[in-house]
Amino acid sequence: MAATIKSAEIPAGLQQTLDRVHSAIVAIGRGDPEPYMRLWSRADDVSLFGAYGPCRQGWEQLSQTFRWVGTRFTRGELRCEDLIVNVSGDLAYTVGYEKGTVTVDGEEPEPMSIRVTQIYRREDGEWRLVHRHADFTPIDQSAGELG
Amino acid sequence: MSGSELEQLEQWLDEAGTRMIDGDWSLWQDKLSKGEDVTVLGAYGTYVTGWADVQARFERTAAGYAGGGGHSTHQTIASWIGSDLACIVAIERHETRLEGKLTTFRYRVTHLFRREDGDWKAVLRHADPLVTFLGPQFAHFTTQTEDVA
């Protein structure tokens, strides 16, 4: 894993939330979305660009989607790789990957690697997720020559 | 004040995107942070970080667009601004000409900006195609997305 590029100072509260997110992603891989859901803001402006396609806004839509994802995964082994962690004031973001092996809809285990950007906001002293953008890494078209 | 700064960044996104799909990435070039953490997770794949590689990616993407022309607009999903970080989450819509036909592409985009020496600089573009169920049209590569809500 490449070294993480970080802001000079990561507040202790943010680091605690990031650590919890890492554990929560492990839980999602095993089919339990509840720890991850607990780390989200309940404000109206939360949004999700999910890896499986959905664009969702507001906690009601997001929580339904997280529960749906939870029902699809079993016995997975996921881990977070944060390559960038930046914070300023009450806003922070991470960029990186979630990787591992997942069992989707009871099928055979398969490798998964998604690109993930997450936005955090400090609300009443607590760092909470407000946005997740995840996608399956598109085919790299950088190597080909232009016609 | 903060509201207008976000509005300016949103306006910049449309202008920079409109230039981009005409093959001109100069607005992006001016806006990209020189920081080691500047990153593009583009719709054309992979994870590119660091100024030199990110510039090369934008340059290549622009070359692929050159001559198409058209307009880039966006619909904001959410935006936040702090003292030195700003984030805009949006659906970006490119109306461009491909082989003479007006075509619309939509992308889910997350942009991060950081204030550096008083100026807002772009530190992240994360973009991927907006996936909508299109059925057989998609499978047969005859996608016409104009009628998709």
Side-chain angles (χ1 to χ4, degrees), chain A residues 81-97:
Chain A
E81 290 184 6
D82 289 338
L83 297 178
I84 294 171
V85 180
N86 275 331
V87 56
S88 172
D90 291 333
L91 208 55
Y93 73 96
T94 60
V95 187
Y97 288 100

Side-chain angles (χ1 to χ4, degrees), chain B residues 12-67:
Chain B
W12 176 86
L13 279 175
D14 287 347
E15 288 167 7
T18 297
R19 294 263 200 106
M20 186 77 188
I21 59 180
D22 201 29
D24 170 11
W25 66 292
S26 58
L27 288 183
W28 266 104
Q29 188 170 22
D30 293 343
K31 198 73 167 172
L32 286 171
S33 166
K34 304 270 195 306
E36 60 171 349
D37 56 355
V38 62
T39 298
V40 58
L41 277 55
Y44 295 98
T46 196
Y47 178 107
V48 183
T49 200
W51 188 64
D53 289 347
V54 167
Q55 284 221 106
R57 169 52 62 103
F58 272 94
E59 188 172 15
R60 190 201 180 281
T61 302
Y65 277 123

Side-chain angles (χ1 to χ4, degrees), chain A residues 55-130:
Chain A
C55 295
R56 297 287 180 260
Q57 287 175 268
W59 181 242
E60 195 177 334
Q61 286 190 7
L62 264 65
S63 57
Q64 283 172 7
T65 304
F66 293 140
R67 289 204 176 95
W68 168 71
V69 170
T71 63
R72 303 191 68 192
F73 285 171
T74 47
R75 302 191 312 279
E77 292 294 337
L78 283 179
R79 64 183 185 280
C80 292
E81 290 184 6
D82 289 338
L83 297 178
I84 294 171
V85 180
N86 275 331
V87 56
S88 172
D90 291 333
L91 208 55
Y93 73 96
T94 60
V95 187
Y97 288 100
E98 290 170 12
K99 291 179 176 174
T101 306
V102 289
T103 304
V104 184
D105 298 337
E107 300 287 329
E108 288 297 305
E110 56 185 47
M112 185 175 95
S113 173
I114 56 178
R115 312 186 297 188
V116 181
T117 296
Q118 298 197 111
I119 314 295
Y120 298 82
R121 178 171 60 197
R122 186 161 46 193
E123 299 175 351
D124 299 326
E126 192 87 12
W127 286 92
R128 302 222 171 251
L129 280 158
V130 289

Side-chain angles (χ1 to χ4, degrees), chain B:
Chain B
M1 179 62 198
S2 63
S4 71
E5 281 182 311
L6 269 178
E7 280 166 22
Q8 284 170 23
L9 287 171
E10 292 199 27
Q11 196 179 345
W12 176 86
L13 279 175
D14 287 347
E15 288 167 7
T18 297
R19 294 263 200 106
M20 186 77 188
I21 59 180
D22 201 29
D24 170 11
W25 66 292
S26 58
L27 288 183
W28 266 104
Q29 188 170 22
D30 293 343
K31 198 73 167 172
L32 286 171
S33 166
K34 304 270 195 306
E36 60 171 349
D37 56 355
V38 62
T39 298
V40 58
L41 277 55
Y44 295 98
T46 196
Y47 178 107
V48 183
T49 200
W51 188 64
D53 289 347
V54 167
Q55 284 221 106
R57 169 52 62 103
F58 272 94
E59 188 172 15
R60 190 201 180 281
T61 302
Y65 277 123
H71 288 281
S72 176
T73 54
H74 74 279
Q75 173 202 345
T76 302
I77 303 288
S79 60
W80 304 280
I81 189 163
S83 51
D84 292 317
L85 267 185
C87 177
I88 299 169
V89 176
I91 304 295
E92 202 171 84
R93 176 188 161 102
H94 293 177
E95 276 183 298
T96 186
R97 283 191 182 280
L98 270 187
E99 295 168 353
K101 272 180 67 180
L102 196 62
T103 309
T104 303
F105 298 101
R106 287 184 179 80
Y107 302 94
R108 314 187 301 178
V109 291
T110 301
H111 286 107
L112 260 300
F113 300 90
R114 177 168 58 207
R115 200 197 307 265
E116 298 178 357
D117 299 326
D119 289 332
W120 287 101
K121 293 291 184 182
V123 287
L124 174 71
R125 173 177 167 86
H126 185 167
D128 71 317
L130 175 64
V131 177
T132 309
F133 183 75
L134 295 167
Q137 286 176 315
F138 180 75
H140 296 290
F141 295 101
T142 54
T143 308
Q144 173 51 265
T145 57
E146 193 50 55
D147 56 347
V148 176

Side-chain angles (χ1 to χ4, degrees), chain A residues 24-45:
Chain A
I25 292 301
V26 173
I28 283 197
R30 293 172 183 164
D32 178 11
E34 296 296 331
Y36 186 64
M37 290 166 64
R38 283 198 286 274
L39 296 166
W40 277 78
S41 164
R42 296 298 190 265
D44 293 338
D45 60 355

